[in-house]
Amino acid sequence: MEAHAYRGYCLENVRAHYDVVLISGAEPTWEKEFLLDYAVADPADQAALAVAGRALAERYELAGVMTWTEWYLVPVARLARQLGLPTTTPEALQGCRNKHTSRTLFARHGVPSAISVSVRTAREAADTAALIGYPVVLKPAAHAASMGVIRVDTASELPAAYAFASQTAGHGVESTQVLVEEHLDGEEVSVECVTYQGQTTVVAVTRKTVGMPPFFEELAHVVDANDPLLADVAPVAVAALDAVGITDGVSHVEIRIVNGRPRLIEVNARIAGDMIGHLVHLATGVSLARAAADIACGALPDLAPTRSQAAAIRLIYPAYSGTLTERRLDAEFTDSTDWLERVTFHRAVGDRLVLPPDGDMFSARIGYLITTGPSAEVAKNRCTEAYRHLSVQVTPA
């Protein structure tokens, strides 16, 4: 049910304005109330996706196709091209999916980024790290959600770190490479962008809280419609999208502020995860899911803000791995607050929770809570207050 917990709002927003037919790898469950029709096919299988897409096109007049799933970006773009529908080119999306290609394009176009070298062995990784200088970051070239990403502070830590990153990279379909990168030390943010026919509008900036070192698990986010950082990061985000060739769609551009200057981490050519798109909607009134659907159908999206406030999310993790025995938010507190927008649990009592390095966000997260406020500081403080009323009990493994 994690897809429902984190992407349900996207499908609901699109369905409010369009009839929706879905291609899914399994029989739809919660999605059915939003669907006109569906086909079951593996979206990562290009041939199967094409067959399902053509079958739906024969039954309906399709206006556009879209995905918010990282691993399906390239196959869906190829399907759009086969059906003669608007899309960023599959080649550009392949460049986004491969972080080594992205870094090369950033350098070619003068977009400030990080030193990045692709390696195939632990020995190559050690030699590269020595040249770059510690600390470094190891990561799979083509993955998502910070999985397989690890900071390395010393040469003695590198063999184990390489094994961790390469294990995740080995599951990749598009690339099994591991990257050794310069560690960008500074505040991490993401820039939520909408591109239509080559013109990009920066809608919002998301400030992140990242933890669980040496891993990079995202623990919290906040979006403020009036964030002064927006003016500083917007030009770099637009330059990055131009460099990789994004012409149409919603993008989530990750940046670190190093010594006061934005440096690119990566371009994700889809709506952000972790409910960030919903935070943007709460803060500004702009629906990124609706914008993505409009662009997929060749229509100019409406990006005019209708609200000016802040929204924050706190992602709920256990303190240690084990079995979840209790998870609840005080009902009296919930009923007495109008700024607690929602609390969602997607793990049940009895579930096993596994933190990195043995697990990842999918095996460790219990749920999240979202708060609103007139400013980022207020929204974040309310998140902290709500978190204090949360009861989570875990029996250690």
Side-chain angles (χ1 to χ4, degrees), residues 3 9 19 33 44 75 99 105 134 136 145 160 179 191 218 278 284 292 305 308 315 325 389:
Y9 80 93
D19 289 330
E33 68 172 295
K99 297 174 177 63
L105 291 170
Y134 289 95
V136 296
L179 303 182
V191 189
E218 297 187 347
H278 185 59
T284 70
S308 183
L315 301 156
T325 56
H389 289 82

Side-chain angles (χ1 to χ4, degrees), residues 1-13 22 24 27-35 68:
M1 295 299 288
E2 286 187 20
H4 187 196
Y6 290 98
R7 293 302 192 185
Y9 80 93
C10 292
L11 188 54
E12 184 177 357
N13 288 359
L22 176 71
S24 176
E27 181 85 9
T29 54
W30 62 269
E31 302 99 329
K32 282 187 176 178
E33 68 172 295
F34 303 109
L35 303 178
W68 41 73

